[in-house]
Amino acid sequence: MTSLVDRPVKSDPDIFETEHRLRQGNYMRGESRNLRNLLEDDLALVVSLDLQMDFIVTELERLYREGLRAYGDPIIVNGKYEVEVREDRGKTPCPWGDRFFAPKTVVSARNLENGTILKYSLLGLHMIKRHGFFQGAQSPFRIEPSLLKKFFDL
Amino acid sequence: MQEVGAFVIFFASIFTSNILLTNFLGMCSYLSVSREIRTAWGLGIAVVFVMTITSVANYFVYYYMLVPLQLEYLEYIAFIIVIAALVQVVEMIIERTSDRLYASLGIFLPLITVNCAVLGAALFLIIRKYDFYQSLAYGAGSGIGWMLAIMALAGIRAKMARRSKVIPALEGPGIVLIVTGIIALGFIGFSGIVQIN
Amino acid sequence: MVSIDYFIPALSMASLATSLAVIILLAEHFLMDYGEVELQVNDKTFKVKGGSTVLGTLKQEKIFLPSACGGRATCAYCKVKAVTGFGDILPTEAPLLTKEEVSQNIRLACQIKVKNNCAVTIPEELFSIKEFTARLDSVEYLTYDIKHFKFKLLSPSEIDFKAGQYVQFQSPPYGEVSESVYRAYSMSGRADARDVIELMVRLVPEGICTTYMFNHLKVGHEVSLTGPYGDFFLRDTDRKMVCIAGGSGMAPIRSILSGMTTGDIEKRRPVFLFGARARRDLFLLSEWAEFEAKHPGFRFIPALSGQEPGDDWSGETGRITDVIAKYVPDGRDFEAYLCGSPGMLNACVDVLRNLGVNEERIFYDKFG
Ligand SMILES: Cc1cc2nc3c(=O)[nH]c(=O)nc-3n(C[C@H](O)[C@H](O)[C@H](O)COP(=O)(O)OP(=O)(O)OC[C@H]3O[C@@H](n4cnc5c(N)ncnc54)[C@H](O)[C@@H]3O)c2cc1C
Ligand code: FES
Ligand SMILES: [Zn+2]
């Protein structure tokens, strides 16, 4: 999780550029808050839910790695999660402009004990990890912090 | 008109009356673009350019247009228009002459239009009744002073990011303001050399 | 009567603004106009209007450099060799170029600008890349999430490509999508049918381009494509062939196999291993059966990794990686052509290598 020091501050030129790029793509669709407020709101949400993002990111990465071994078929991880990794060809450059290229991979995971379903893409995972960005409320790939809490039984 | 030479004003505005450290103008970009020395340098150079040019331009606009027409009360609007327009021209000049500078300043130039230090410098030189040379010296000096301050901060922040463990509550703007305070104290050490108000 | 004094403030502000606008326009006129300059590309010289990036200028001249980021200096696909007329490396380029590239004067075409007479070198094959307008003639479902699109080329009316290559499809803004995006799709038709382009596209949930193609693109609509790109195509050797694909990865393999001559097929005895989850993920079975009947040297082997109730399947089962060994007895005689998801591809490369297939004889799309 990025620390507050690395978070963009009001009138940082980078954040205007980034927000512009995010809005051109599907990352902040129909979002009325600006990027900075969105980041702050989600950070507050993470704090109030008491989510340890380092742990969550590591777990999400692990589920992806385990799921990958089934080449697209569903696989049970730890007897607790059913994971299916879908890969499409091509790569998406991270819209934050950090020269990261995410493979077009989506992980669908189901917690078998409580039935919670979580879908996340590798790009989405990267953006949480590196930029503290969960995406706009109506973005098709938003990762909802409260869903993470439910999914991992925290 | 004050009885101080342009040269004195030039140095004073860099060190003792630093527009950022004594007047705390231009804080927002100072806080946010000071993470890396490279970008701080870029923004700093852009501010030097723009402040020098706009100070002179605003001097002429004020004394040769607003004063004769008795429109001094419109100085804010006039100065802002002048700054916005000149930033555009400066941008074009840089684009034409140096790809390198343009690529590194590209995103900063438009931001400077809203940098309050630039407007502040123009207003100060009117309030302090500087003449032309004094205005030129003051504009350039303030720009350089601002650049010096942001680079000093960027250097410290770069070092802090690697070495120091800042307590979470003070991370980000908090610690930066404290550091700025200390830098400002350091600059007071220059005050024996030259002094303007 | 209103005294003129009332208008002085407004008039003077207006004249100030006007004169500044004039200054800006003058500056624009004198500073931004570079006039006509000469841009040399390999051995051709173009007279172009100066001031834009090399990428944009070449596009005007109908030379299409690859680009995935739309000129935002993030993809590094647009590399060219700068010969003369360009300054030092720009801060925006530096992170994307290696030391070696810098010493060879490799630059990003989307960043460097044509300001005076200058020269660049690009790979010769880029000259054959063209921008096509095409009309959608037919669409059909191959499976529940793969569609087969057939486009008729309008202008230019013919494409010259090697079986296995791909085109970039332009997905225009639609609905809430406000920018054009470009996506790669392998051509699945025969290379000698030069006035049509066939694509097999798998729907990506929430994918920008595939959603456009599945829900918005209708028969009769015109689209824009550039190509051909890629070095995935049939190598001219006498070696035996194994082709492995899954899902829409069938596209380039179909193009390659259907373009082979009867003699070649007899000689190289290709096998096509096609991996799928269940029966409902298989398609074009009758076309492949016909092909097998026509060419006794060829075999099409579908394999199902997870059957569904009622699938009633007597063919190969298991992951495609488990099936390979049976059809590649001695890897040293084989050349392999792969197309599919990155995970499947990597796994197949491992298996093939262990079977003794020389790594240089395993072909697939690098950017995939
Ligand atoms: C050489 C080559 C050949 C190809 N040939 C074919 C072919 O023949 N047939 C075929 O079907 N495909 C082919 N592809 C794949 C194709 O180019 C596209 O990548 C694919 O169709 C998806 O495009 P899209 O615009 O629909 O999806 P995109 O909009 O690009 O989205 C795809 C993925 O990106 C991620 N993503 C997107 N938005 C977000 C977000 N907001 N947050 C987080 N993650 C996000 C997700 O993982 C999502 O699944 C080929 C690719 C290459 C490189
Ligand atoms: S076009 Fe992507 S880096 Fe130049
Ligand atoms: Zn990123």
PDB file of all heavy atoms in Angstrom, chain A residues 68 70-73 85-90 103-105, chain C residues 202 244-250 275 320 338-349 364-365 368:
ATOM      1  N   LEU A  68      -3.573 -20.009 -11.758  1.00  0.00           N
ATOM      2  CA  LEU A  68      -2.927 -20.067 -13.064  1.00  0.00           C
ATOM      3  C   LEU A  68      -2.538 -21.488 -13.430  1.00  0.00           C
ATOM      4  O   LEU A  68      -2.494 -21.857 -14.597  1.00  0.00           O
ATOM      5  CB  LEU A  68      -1.687 -19.170 -13.023  1.00  0.00           C
ATOM      6  CG  LEU A  68      -1.075 -18.764 -14.354  1.00  0.00           C
ATOM      7  CD1 LEU A  68      -2.099 -18.007 -15.170  1.00  0.00           C
ATOM      8  CD2 LEU A  68       0.151 -17.896 -14.116  1.00  0.00           C
ATOM      9  N   ALA A  70      -4.082 -24.088 -13.323  1.00  0.00           N
ATOM     10  CA  ALA A  70      -5.125 -24.910 -13.944  1.00  0.00           C
ATOM     11  C   ALA A  70      -5.415 -24.475 -15.376  1.00  0.00           C
ATOM     12  O   ALA A  70      -6.315 -25.005 -16.010  1.00  0.00           O
ATOM     13  CB  ALA A  70      -6.401 -24.840 -13.110  1.00  0.00           C
ATOM     14  N   TYR A  71      -4.639 -23.551 -15.918  1.00  0.00           N
ATOM     15  CA  TYR A  71      -4.823 -23.061 -17.294  1.00  0.00           C
ATOM     16  C   TYR A  71      -6.278 -22.803 -17.643  1.00  0.00           C
ATOM     17  O   TYR A  71      -6.792 -23.328 -18.625  1.00  0.00           O
ATOM     18  CB  TYR A  71      -4.251 -24.036 -18.314  1.00  0.00           C
ATOM     19  CG  TYR A  71      -2.871 -24.500 -17.981  1.00  0.00           C
ATOM     20  CD1 TYR A  71      -2.600 -25.859 -17.865  1.00  0.00           C
ATOM     21  CD2 TYR A  71      -1.859 -23.586 -17.766  1.00  0.00           C
ATOM     22  CE1 TYR A  71      -1.332 -26.293 -17.544  1.00  0.00           C
ATOM     23  CE2 TYR A  71      -0.598 -24.010 -17.434  1.00  0.00           C
ATOM     24  CZ  TYR A  71      -0.341 -25.351 -17.324  1.00  0.00           C
ATOM     25  OH  TYR A  71       0.908 -25.769 -16.997  1.00  0.00           O
ATOM     26  N   GLY A  72      -6.950 -22.043 -16.838  1.00  0.00           N
ATOM     27  CA  GLY A  72      -8.288 -21.632 -17.225  1.00  0.00           C
ATOM     28  C   GLY A  72      -9.409 -22.446 -16.608  1.00  0.00           C
ATOM     29  O   GLY A  72     -10.553 -22.032 -16.619  1.00  0.00           O
ATOM     30  N   ASP A  73      -9.102 -23.614 -16.065  1.00  0.00           N
ATOM     31  CA  ASP A  73     -10.149 -24.387 -15.406  1.00  0.00           C
ATOM     32  C   ASP A  73     -10.245 -23.961 -13.948  1.00  0.00           C
ATOM     33  O   ASP A  73      -9.300 -23.429 -13.389  1.00  0.00           O
ATOM     34  CB  ASP A  73      -9.821 -25.882 -15.491  1.00  0.00           C
ATOM     35  CG  ASP A  73      -9.927 -26.377 -16.918  1.00  0.00           C
ATOM     36  OD1 ASP A  73     -10.582 -25.703 -17.719  1.00  0.00           O
ATOM     37  OD2 ASP A  73      -9.328 -27.429 -17.238  1.00  0.00           O
ATOM     38  N   VAL A  85      -8.872 -18.602 -13.396  1.00  0.00           N
ATOM     39  CA  VAL A  85      -8.109 -17.513 -13.992  1.00  0.00           C
ATOM     40  C   VAL A  85      -8.386 -17.475 -15.485  1.00  0.00           C
ATOM     41  O   VAL A  85      -8.214 -18.470 -16.169  1.00  0.00           O
ATOM     42  CB  VAL A  85      -6.599 -17.699 -13.755  1.00  0.00           C
ATOM     43  CG1 VAL A  85      -5.807 -16.624 -14.490  1.00  0.00           C
ATOM     44  CG2 VAL A  85      -6.292 -17.652 -12.274  1.00  0.00           C
ATOM     45  N   ARG A  86      -8.846 -16.340 -15.962  1.00  0.00           N
ATOM     46  CA  ARG A  86      -9.092 -16.210 -17.382  1.00  0.00           C
ATOM     47  C   ARG A  86      -8.070 -15.259 -17.992  1.00  0.00           C
ATOM     48  O   ARG A  86      -7.928 -14.123 -17.559  1.00  0.00           O
ATOM     49  CB  ARG A  86     -10.488 -15.642 -17.620  1.00  0.00           C
ATOM     50  CG  ARG A  86     -10.655 -15.338 -19.079  1.00  0.00           C
ATOM     51  CD  ARG A  86     -11.950 -14.743 -19.454  1.00  0.00           C
ATOM     52  NE  ARG A  86     -11.842 -14.334 -20.840  1.00  0.00           N
ATOM     53  CZ  ARG A  86     -12.835 -14.300 -21.690  1.00  0.00           C
ATOM     54  NH1 ARG A  86     -14.022 -14.658 -21.289  1.00  0.00           N
ATOM     55  NH2 ARG A  86     -12.636 -13.918 -22.920  1.00  0.00           N
ATOM     56  N   GLU A  87      -7.379 -15.760 -19.010  1.00  0.00           N
ATOM     57  CA  GLU A  87      -6.381 -14.918 -19.660  1.00  0.00           C
ATOM     58  C   GLU A  87      -6.811 -14.607 -21.082  1.00  0.00           C
ATOM     59  O   GLU A  87      -7.240 -15.494 -21.798  1.00  0.00           O
ATOM     60  CB  GLU A  87      -5.039 -15.650 -19.732  1.00  0.00           C
ATOM     61  CG  GLU A  87      -4.417 -15.938 -18.392  1.00  0.00           C
ATOM     62  CD  GLU A  87      -3.083 -16.631 -18.580  1.00  0.00           C
ATOM     63  OE1 GLU A  87      -3.056 -17.741 -19.133  1.00  0.00           O
ATOM     64  OE2 GLU A  87      -2.077 -16.042 -18.204  1.00  0.00           O
ATOM     65  N   ASP A  88      -6.682 -13.345 -21.472  1.00  0.00           N
ATOM     66  CA  ASP A  88      -6.831 -12.996 -22.875  1.00  0.00           C
ATOM     67  C   ASP A  88      -5.508 -12.465 -23.366  1.00  0.00           C
ATOM     68  O   ASP A  88      -4.675 -12.033 -22.577  1.00  0.00           O
ATOM     69  CB  ASP A  88      -7.932 -11.950 -23.042  1.00  0.00           C
ATOM     70  CG  ASP A  88      -9.302 -12.564 -22.868  1.00  0.00           C
ATOM     71  OD1 ASP A  88      -9.733 -13.268 -23.785  1.00  0.00           O
ATOM     72  OD2 ASP A  88      -9.918 -12.377 -21.796  1.00  0.00           O
ATOM     73  N   ARG A  89      -5.345 -12.510 -24.676  1.00  0.00           N
ATOM     74  CA  ARG A  89      -4.070 -12.048 -25.199  1.00  0.00           C
ATOM     75  C   ARG A  89      -3.999 -10.534 -25.159  1.00  0.00           C
ATOM     76  O   ARG A  89      -5.010  -9.847 -25.188  1.00  0.00           O
ATOM     77  CB  ARG A  89      -3.885 -12.547 -26.628  1.00  0.00           C
ATOM     78  CG  ARG A  89      -3.419 -13.992 -26.644  1.00  0.00           C
ATOM     79  CD  ARG A  89      -3.154 -14.436 -28.048  1.00  0.00           C
ATOM     80  NE  ARG A  89      -4.384 -14.692 -28.774  1.00  0.00           N
ATOM     81  CZ  ARG A  89      -4.462 -14.732 -30.084  1.00  0.00           C
ATOM     82  NH1 ARG A  89      -3.401 -14.495 -30.799  1.00  0.00           N
ATOM     83  NH2 ARG A  89      -5.593 -15.016 -30.672  1.00  0.00           N
ATOM     84  N   GLY A  90      -2.790  -9.999 -25.123  1.00  0.00           N
ATOM     85  CA  GLY A  90      -2.598  -8.560 -25.124  1.00  0.00           C
ATOM     86  C   GLY A  90      -2.296  -8.036 -23.736  1.00  0.00           C
ATOM     87  O   GLY A  90      -2.451  -8.742 -22.749  1.00  0.00           O
ATOM     88  N   PRO A 103      -0.941  -8.003 -18.002  1.00  0.00           N
ATOM     89  CA  PRO A 103      -1.595  -8.946 -18.897  1.00  0.00           C
ATOM     90  C   PRO A 103      -3.106  -8.854 -18.688  1.00  0.00           C
ATOM     91  O   PRO A 103      -3.553  -8.501 -17.597  1.00  0.00           O
ATOM     92  CB  PRO A 103      -1.074 -10.310 -18.438  1.00  0.00           C
ATOM     93  CG  PRO A 103      -0.080 -10.062 -17.376  1.00  0.00           C
ATOM     94  CD  PRO A 103      -0.144  -8.643 -16.958  1.00  0.00           C
ATOM     95  N   LYS A 104      -3.866  -9.144 -19.741  1.00  0.00           N
ATOM     96  CA  LYS A 104      -5.330  -9.035 -19.617  1.00  0.00           C
ATOM     97  C   LYS A 104      -5.870 -10.277 -18.932  1.00  0.00           C
ATOM     98  O   LYS A 104      -6.419 -11.164 -19.566  1.00  0.00           O
ATOM     99  CB  LYS A 104      -5.946  -8.847 -20.996  1.00  0.00           C
ATOM    100  CG  LYS A 104      -5.463  -7.585 -21.659  1.00  0.00           C
ATOM    101  CD  LYS A 104      -6.235  -7.239 -22.905  1.00  0.00           C
ATOM    102  CE  LYS A 104      -5.736  -5.910 -23.459  1.00  0.00           C
ATOM    103  NZ  LYS A 104      -6.463  -5.473 -24.639  1.00  0.00           N
ATOM    104  N   THR A 105      -5.695 -10.322 -17.649  1.00  0.00           N
ATOM    105  CA  THR A 105      -6.041 -11.506 -16.877  1.00  0.00           C
ATOM    106  C   THR A 105      -7.046 -11.150 -15.803  1.00  0.00           C
ATOM    107  O   THR A 105      -6.861 -10.167 -15.090  1.00  0.00           O
ATOM    108  CB  THR A 105      -4.771 -12.081 -16.224  1.00  0.00           C
ATOM    109  OG1 THR A 105      -3.846 -12.396 -17.252  1.00  0.00           O
ATOM    110  CG2 THR A 105      -5.085 -13.311 -15.412  1.00  0.00           C
TER     111      THR A 105
ATOM    112  N   ARG C 202     -13.129 -13.489 -29.330  1.00  0.00           N
ATOM    113  CA  ARG C 202     -13.779 -13.990 -28.119  1.00  0.00           C
ATOM    114  C   ARG C 202     -14.184 -12.807 -27.244  1.00  0.00           C
ATOM    115  O   ARG C 202     -13.392 -11.899 -27.024  1.00  0.00           O
ATOM    116  CB  ARG C 202     -12.802 -14.881 -27.350  1.00  0.00           C
ATOM    117  CG  ARG C 202     -13.386 -15.439 -26.086  1.00  0.00           C
ATOM    118  CD  ARG C 202     -12.419 -16.405 -25.457  1.00  0.00           C
ATOM    119  NE  ARG C 202     -12.952 -16.982 -24.245  1.00  0.00           N
ATOM    120  CZ  ARG C 202     -12.209 -17.295 -23.193  1.00  0.00           C
ATOM    121  NH1 ARG C 202     -10.917 -17.091 -23.230  1.00  0.00           N
ATOM    122  NH2 ARG C 202     -12.758 -17.819 -22.128  1.00  0.00           N
ATOM    123  N   ILE C 244      -0.779 -25.931 -31.995  1.00  0.00           N
ATOM    124  CA  ILE C 244      -1.537 -26.046 -30.756  1.00  0.00           C
ATOM    125  C   ILE C 244      -2.270 -24.741 -30.512  1.00  0.00           C
ATOM    126  O   ILE C 244      -1.669 -23.664 -30.602  1.00  0.00           O
ATOM    127  CB  ILE C 244      -0.606 -26.334 -29.553  1.00  0.00           C
ATOM    128  CG1 ILE C 244       0.301 -27.521 -29.868  1.00  0.00           C
ATOM    129  CG2 ILE C 244      -1.420 -26.602 -28.303  1.00  0.00           C
ATOM    130  CD1 ILE C 244       1.356 -27.777 -28.817  1.00  0.00           C
ATOM    131  N   ALA C 245      -3.561 -24.821 -30.234  1.00  0.00           N
ATOM    132  CA  ALA C 245      -4.316 -23.590 -29.984  1.00  0.00           C
ATOM    133  C   ALA C 245      -5.461 -23.864 -29.031  1.00  0.00           C
ATOM    134  O   ALA C 245      -5.825 -25.014 -28.770  1.00  0.00           O
ATOM    135  CB  ALA C 245      -4.860 -23.021 -31.292  1.00  0.00           C
ATOM    136  N   GLY C 246      -6.004 -22.769 -28.496  1.00  0.00           N
ATOM    137  CA  GLY C 246      -7.200 -22.852 -27.678  1.00  0.00           C
ATOM    138  C   GLY C 246      -8.048 -21.630 -27.972  1.00  0.00           C
ATOM    139  O   GLY C 246      -7.511 -20.584 -28.313  1.00  0.00           O
ATOM    140  N   GLY C 247      -9.349 -21.765 -27.890  1.00  0.00           N
ATOM    141  CA  GLY C 247     -10.264 -20.629 -28.074  1.00  0.00           C
ATOM    142  C   GLY C 247     -10.063 -19.926 -29.396  1.00  0.00           C
ATOM    143  O   GLY C 247      -9.910 -20.554 -30.441  1.00  0.00           O
ATOM    144  N   SER C 248     -10.008 -18.574 -29.324  1.00  0.00           N
ATOM    145  CA  SER C 248      -9.872 -17.797 -30.558  1.00  0.00           C
ATOM    146  C   SER C 248      -8.487 -17.971 -31.165  1.00  0.00           C
ATOM    147  O   SER C 248      -8.225 -17.489 -32.261  1.00  0.00           O
ATOM    148  CB  SER C 248     -10.119 -16.325 -30.276  1.00  0.00           C
ATOM    149  OG  SER C 248      -9.069 -15.816 -29.470  1.00  0.00           O
ATOM    150  N   GLY C 249      -7.592 -18.648 -30.477  1.00  0.00           N
ATOM    151  CA  GLY C 249      -6.270 -18.929 -31.019  1.00  0.00           C
ATOM    152  C   GLY C 249      -6.322 -19.810 -32.256  1.00  0.00           C
ATOM    153  O   GLY C 249      -5.318 -19.996 -32.941  1.00  0.00           O
ATOM    154  N   MET C 250      -7.514 -20.371 -32.553  1.00  0.00           N
ATOM    155  CA  MET C 250      -7.643 -21.161 -33.782  1.00  0.00           C
ATOM    156  C   MET C 250      -7.417 -20.299 -35.018  1.00  0.00           C
ATOM    157  O   MET C 250      -7.000 -20.797 -36.072  1.00  0.00           O
ATOM    158  CB  MET C 250      -9.021 -21.815 -33.853  1.00  0.00           C
ATOM    159  CG  MET C 250      -9.191 -22.720 -35.054  1.00  0.00           C
ATOM    160  SD  MET C 250     -10.877 -23.262 -35.296  1.00  0.00           S
ATOM    161  CE  MET C 250     -11.040 -24.554 -34.072  1.00  0.00           C
ATOM    162  N   GLY C 275      -7.297 -27.300 -27.717  1.00  0.00           N
ATOM    163  CA  GLY C 275      -7.738 -27.513 -26.339  1.00  0.00           C
ATOM    164  C   GLY C 275      -8.988 -26.718 -26.022  1.00  0.00           C
ATOM    165  O   GLY C 275      -9.109 -25.556 -26.404  1.00  0.00           O
ATOM    166  N   ILE C 320      -4.488 -29.810 -22.698  1.00  0.00           N
ATOM    167  CA  ILE C 320      -3.817 -29.947 -23.983  1.00  0.00           C
ATOM    168  C   ILE C 320      -2.345 -30.329 -23.774  1.00  0.00           C
ATOM    169  O   ILE C 320      -1.759 -31.078 -24.550  1.00  0.00           O
ATOM    170  CB  ILE C 320      -3.975 -28.643 -24.799  1.00  0.00           C
ATOM    171  CG1 ILE C 320      -3.689 -28.914 -26.274  1.00  0.00           C
ATOM    172  CG2 ILE C 320      -3.102 -27.525 -24.303  1.00  0.00           C
ATOM    173  CD1 ILE C 320      -4.741 -29.735 -26.937  1.00  0.00           C
ATOM    174  N   LEU C 338       2.085 -22.103 -32.124  1.00  0.00           N
ATOM    175  CA  LEU C 338       1.179 -22.014 -30.980  1.00  0.00           C
ATOM    176  C   LEU C 338       0.386 -20.716 -30.999  1.00  0.00           C
ATOM    177  O   LEU C 338       0.894 -19.675 -31.389  1.00  0.00           O
ATOM    178  CB  LEU C 338       1.956 -22.056 -29.663  1.00  0.00           C
ATOM    179  CG  LEU C 338       3.105 -23.038 -29.502  1.00  0.00           C
ATOM    180  CD1 LEU C 338       3.689 -22.907 -28.112  1.00  0.00           C
ATOM    181  CD2 LEU C 338       2.608 -24.435 -29.735  1.00  0.00           C
ATOM    182  N   CYS C 339      -0.851 -20.791 -30.518  1.00  0.00           N
ATOM    183  CA  CYS C 339      -1.611 -19.568 -30.336  1.00  0.00           C
ATOM    184  C   CYS C 339      -2.684 -19.786 -29.282  1.00  0.00           C
ATOM    185  O   CYS C 339      -3.471 -20.724 -29.386  1.00  0.00           O
ATOM    186  CB  CYS C 339      -2.261 -19.121 -31.647  1.00  0.00           C
ATOM    187  SG  CYS C 339      -2.979 -17.493 -31.502  1.00  0.00           S
ATOM    188  N   GLY C 340      -2.685 -18.948 -28.272  1.00  0.00           N
ATOM    189  CA  GLY C 340      -3.681 -19.081 -27.219  1.00  0.00           C
ATOM    190  C   GLY C 340      -3.330 -18.185 -26.059  1.00  0.00           C
ATOM    191  O   GLY C 340      -2.524 -17.273 -26.199  1.00  0.00           O
ATOM    192  N   SER C 341      -3.938 -18.442 -24.903  1.00  0.00           N
ATOM    193  CA  SER C 341      -3.699 -17.580 -23.753  1.00  0.00           C
ATOM    194  C   SER C 341      -2.254 -17.742 -23.285  1.00  0.00           C
ATOM    195  O   SER C 341      -1.643 -18.790 -23.470  1.00  0.00           O
ATOM    196  CB  SER C 341      -4.652 -17.933 -22.628  1.00  0.00           C
ATOM    197  OG  SER C 341      -4.305 -19.197 -22.109  1.00  0.00           O
ATOM    198  N   PRO C 342      -1.688 -16.699 -22.689  1.00  0.00           N
ATOM    199  CA  PRO C 342      -0.281 -16.722 -22.288  1.00  0.00           C
ATOM    200  C   PRO C 342       0.060 -17.910 -21.389  1.00  0.00           C
ATOM    201  O   PRO C 342       1.116 -18.531 -21.563  1.00  0.00           O
ATOM    202  CB  PRO C 342      -0.105 -15.408 -21.526  1.00  0.00           C
ATOM    203  CG  PRO C 342      -1.201 -14.532 -21.995  1.00  0.00           C
ATOM    204  CD  PRO C 342      -2.329 -15.419 -22.388  1.00  0.00           C
ATOM    205  N   GLY C 343      -0.829 -18.246 -20.452  1.00  0.00           N
ATOM    206  CA  GLY C 343      -0.543 -19.354 -19.540  1.00  0.00           C
ATOM    207  C   GLY C 343      -0.414 -20.663 -20.284  1.00  0.00           C
ATOM    208  O   GLY C 343       0.523 -21.441 -20.089  1.00  0.00           O
ATOM    209  N   MET C 344      -1.384 -20.932 -21.176  1.00  0.00           N
ATOM    210  CA  MET C 344      -1.346 -22.162 -21.962  1.00  0.00           C
ATOM    211  C   MET C 344      -0.094 -22.198 -22.833  1.00  0.00           C
ATOM    212  O   MET C 344       0.576 -23.220 -22.959  1.00  0.00           O
ATOM    213  CB  MET C 344      -2.601 -22.222 -22.845  1.00  0.00           C
ATOM    214  CG  MET C 344      -2.675 -23.472 -23.675  1.00  0.00           C
ATOM    215  SD  MET C 344      -3.588 -23.232 -25.208  1.00  0.00           S
ATOM    216  CE  MET C 344      -2.270 -22.996 -26.358  1.00  0.00           C
ATOM    217  N   LEU C 345       0.210 -21.041 -23.407  1.00  0.00           N
ATOM    218  CA  LEU C 345       1.365 -20.959 -24.290  1.00  0.00           C
ATOM    219  C   LEU C 345       2.661 -21.332 -23.567  1.00  0.00           C
ATOM    220  O   LEU C 345       3.439 -22.154 -24.043  1.00  0.00           O
ATOM    221  CB  LEU C 345       1.456 -19.504 -24.761  1.00  0.00           C
ATOM    222  CG  LEU C 345       1.758 -19.329 -26.213  1.00  0.00           C
ATOM    223  CD1 LEU C 345       0.551 -18.755 -26.894  1.00  0.00           C
ATOM    224  CD2 LEU C 345       2.918 -18.411 -26.355  1.00  0.00           C
ATOM    225  N   ASN C 346       2.861 -20.718 -22.390  1.00  0.00           N
ATOM    226  CA  ASN C 346       4.084 -20.999 -21.636  1.00  0.00           C
ATOM    227  C   ASN C 346       4.174 -22.476 -21.280  1.00  0.00           C
ATOM    228  O   ASN C 346       5.234 -23.088 -21.399  1.00  0.00           O
ATOM    229  CB  ASN C 346       4.125 -20.170 -20.349  1.00  0.00           C
ATOM    230  CG  ASN C 346       4.371 -18.717 -20.657  1.00  0.00           C
ATOM    231  OD1 ASN C 346       4.918 -18.396 -21.710  1.00  0.00           O
ATOM    232  ND2 ASN C 346       3.946 -17.845 -19.766  1.00  0.00           N
ATOM    233  N   ALA C 347       3.036 -23.039 -20.848  1.00  0.00           N
ATOM    234  CA  ALA C 347       3.048 -24.446 -20.463  1.00  0.00           C
ATOM    235  C   ALA C 347       3.390 -25.326 -21.664  1.00  0.00           C
ATOM    236  O   ALA C 347       4.162 -26.282 -21.552  1.00  0.00           O
ATOM    237  CB  ALA C 347       1.689 -24.832 -19.895  1.00  0.00           C
ATOM    238  N   CYS C 348       2.837 -25.002 -22.822  1.00  0.00           N
ATOM    239  CA  CYS C 348       3.103 -25.807 -24.010  1.00  0.00           C
ATOM    240  C   CYS C 348       4.563 -25.694 -24.425  1.00  0.00           C
ATOM    241  O   CYS C 348       5.177 -26.679 -24.829  1.00  0.00           O
ATOM    242  CB  CYS C 348       2.218 -25.352 -25.173  1.00  0.00           C
ATOM    243  SG  CYS C 348       0.507 -25.828 -24.952  1.00  0.00           S
ATOM    244  N   VAL C 349       5.126 -24.492 -24.319  1.00  0.00           N
ATOM    245  CA  VAL C 349       6.529 -24.324 -24.682  1.00  0.00           C
ATOM    246  C   VAL C 349       7.392 -25.240 -23.809  1.00  0.00           C
ATOM    247  O   VAL C 349       8.295 -25.918 -24.301  1.00  0.00           O
ATOM    248  CB  VAL C 349       6.961 -22.849 -24.551  1.00  0.00           C
ATOM    249  CG1 VAL C 349       8.469 -22.709 -24.699  1.00  0.00           C
ATOM    250  CG2 VAL C 349       6.259 -21.997 -25.586  1.00  0.00           C
ATOM    251  N   TYR C 364       5.215 -18.317 -31.954  1.00  0.00           N
ATOM    252  CA  TYR C 364       3.968 -17.746 -31.439  1.00  0.00           C
ATOM    253  C   TYR C 364       4.084 -16.228 -31.468  1.00  0.00           C
ATOM    254  O   TYR C 364       5.165 -15.689 -31.671  1.00  0.00           O
ATOM    255  CB  TYR C 364       3.664 -18.244 -30.022  1.00  0.00           C
ATOM    256  CG  TYR C 364       4.818 -18.110 -29.052  1.00  0.00           C
ATOM    257  CD1 TYR C 364       5.001 -16.944 -28.325  1.00  0.00           C
ATOM    258  CD2 TYR C 364       5.742 -19.148 -28.895  1.00  0.00           C
ATOM    259  CE1 TYR C 364       6.057 -16.809 -27.451  1.00  0.00           C
ATOM    260  CE2 TYR C 364       6.809 -19.018 -28.018  1.00  0.00           C
ATOM    261  CZ  TYR C 364       6.962 -17.851 -27.307  1.00  0.00           C
ATOM    262  OH  TYR C 364       8.026 -17.709 -26.459  1.00  0.00           O
ATOM    263  N   ASP C 365       2.958 -15.513 -31.265  1.00  0.00           N
ATOM    264  CA  ASP C 365       2.966 -14.048 -31.279  1.00  0.00           C
ATOM    265  C   ASP C 365       3.635 -13.526 -30.022  1.00  0.00           C
ATOM    266  O   ASP C 365       3.142 -13.738 -28.924  1.00  0.00           O
ATOM    267  CB  ASP C 365       1.534 -13.511 -31.365  1.00  0.00           C
ATOM    268  CG  ASP C 365       1.125 -13.248 -32.795  1.00  0.00           C
ATOM    269  OD1 ASP C 365       1.914 -12.628 -33.520  1.00  0.00           O
ATOM    270  OD2 ASP C 365       0.012 -13.655 -33.180  1.00  0.00           O
ATOM    271  N   GLY C 368       1.669 -11.295 -27.722  1.00  0.00           N
ATOM    272  CA  GLY C 368       0.458 -11.883 -27.173  1.00  0.00           C
ATOM    273  C   GLY C 368       0.525 -11.971 -25.669  1.00  0.00           C
ATOM    274  O   GLY C 368      -0.465 -12.185 -25.033  1.00  0.00           O
TER     275      GLY C 368
END
